[in-house]
Amino acid sequence: MAYLDIIVFALVAAVLIFKLRAILGRRNDGEEQRPNPFSAPSRGAGKDKKAEKDDGARDGNLGDDEENVIRSEKFDRPRALPAFKAAPESLIGGIEAITAADPSFDEKAFLAGARSAFGMIVSAFAAGELKVLKPLLSSRVFAQFEQAVQERQKAGERQETEIKNIRDADLARAKLEGTRALLTVKYVSDQINVTRDAAGNVVAGLPGKAEEVEDSWTFARDVKSGDPNWLLVETRS
């Protein structure tokens, strides 16, 4: 009896299996495997490479060469450069300080005036024209120039100076001391300097021969004063 039951169950199982295969069918070797809905879809399933690239572009995804790049907001955001501030003792720092104290200060205009002042002062000193020099010089520098002119006159000598060319007139130093602005200009010029005695004989220099002369002049002005003029306060050769 037991054997008969086993045979019956086996026949029932065989019939069920046959019906299931008939209903569900059987995948052959050329048929694609049905995807598992709970597994992550494999990259590129059912698409070629070009389709993957196009889909990635539409979805805002990165390409193959960039998919491993980690982006961070702190790197993507442009960084603002720190504001440059010149040292107070530097030339730029000195000019900035003077400009802050006197917004009307103009470097180019100052240098143009410094060129004119150089020619005027050198010529007036050679000619002994103290009245021309006085409003252009500080009291200390004027006293030095006046003494040199008087000694020359006592010796019966005269100075002949001709500026052939001012090659350069550039700022070398700038400083603000309280309300007093100090600007040093370095001059490079070609000059003919000749000193003659009372008889007209040459005692120094070569007539007609220009020589390169370097001078360093410092001008000063109170930036809070209503007087816009700069005074020569120091000379160096």
Side-chain angles (χ1 to χ4, degrees):
M1 184 69 180
Y3 292 107
L4 181 60
D5 292 339
I6 292 172
I7 294 172
V8 171
F9 286 131
L11 290 173
V12 171
V15 171
L16 291 175
I17 291 173
F18 177 81
K19 289 185 176 182
L20 286 174
R21 292 185 63 180
I23 295 171
L24 300 178
R26 183 174 57 184
R27 183 175 65 90
N28 56 37
D29 294 337
E31 184 181 353
E32 292 185 5
Q33 185 177 2
R34 294 183 179 88
N36 187 337
F38 299 104
S39 65
S42 61
R43 185 174 179 86
K47 296 183 181 180
D48 56 19
K49 292 294 183 180
K50 184 176 184 305
E52 286 180 14
K53 187 174 181 180
D54 293 341
D55 287 351
R58 286 194 298 270
D59 296 337
N61 296 330
L62 299 176
D64 292 340
D65 296 337
E66 298 181 80
E67 66 183 20
N68 294 323
V69 177
I70 300 175
R71 295 191 177 275
S72 174
E73 183 180 357
K74 69 177 181 179
F75 293 116
D76 293 340
R77 182 185 304 157
R79 298 180 180 180
L81 295 177
F84 173 78
K85 188 174 182 180
E89 65 275 10
S90 68
L91 174 60
I92 296 177
I95 294 175
E96 289 178 347
I98 293 172
T99 304
D102 179 14
S104 66
F105 173 72
D106 184 273
E107 182 180 347
K108 291 183 178 180
F110 169 80
L111 287 175
R115 276 179 172 269
S116 299
F118 181 78
M120 186 182 300
I121 292 172
V122 169
S123 299
F125 174 71
E129 298 175 343
L130 296 176
K131 290 183 179 180
V132 175
L133 292 172
K134 192 168 186 178
L136 302 174
L137 314 178
S138 68
S139 57
R140 183 176 65 85
V141 175
F142 178 76
Q144 295 172 350
F145 277 38
E146 183 180 35
Q147 181 180 356
V149 169
Q150 290 174 349
E151 290 177 355
R152 194 170 63 211
Q153 290 173 345
K154 288 179 181 179
E157 296 176 347
R158 70 176 188 273
Q159 179 75 29
E160 297 176 355
T161 298
E162 181 183 0
I163 299 177
K164 304 296 290 185
N165 178 42
I166 300 177
R167 298 186 189 179
D168 294 303
D170 298 319
L171 282 177
R173 288 190 298 274
K175 188 177 182 181
L176 183 66
E177 295 180 343
T179 61
R180 188 170 182 245
L182 297 165
L183 292 172
T184 299
V185 181
K186 181 180 179 181
Y187 298 93
V188 179
S189 60
D190 296 321
Q191 300 180 20
I192 299 176
N193 289 293
V194 177
T195 303
R196 298 181 184 272
D197 60 16
N201 298 315
V202 176
V203 296
L206 297 172
K209 183 174 177 58
E211 296 180 339
E212 182 181 291
V213 180
E214 293 187 5
D215 294 281
S216 182
W217 288 11
T218 299
F219 297 86
R221 174 180 174 268
D222 188 341
V223 295
K224 298 302 181 182
S225 170
D227 186 356
N229 295 320
W230 294 77
L231 296 179
L232 178 62
V233 298
E234 184 180 4
T235 62
R236 291 183 181 181
S237 299

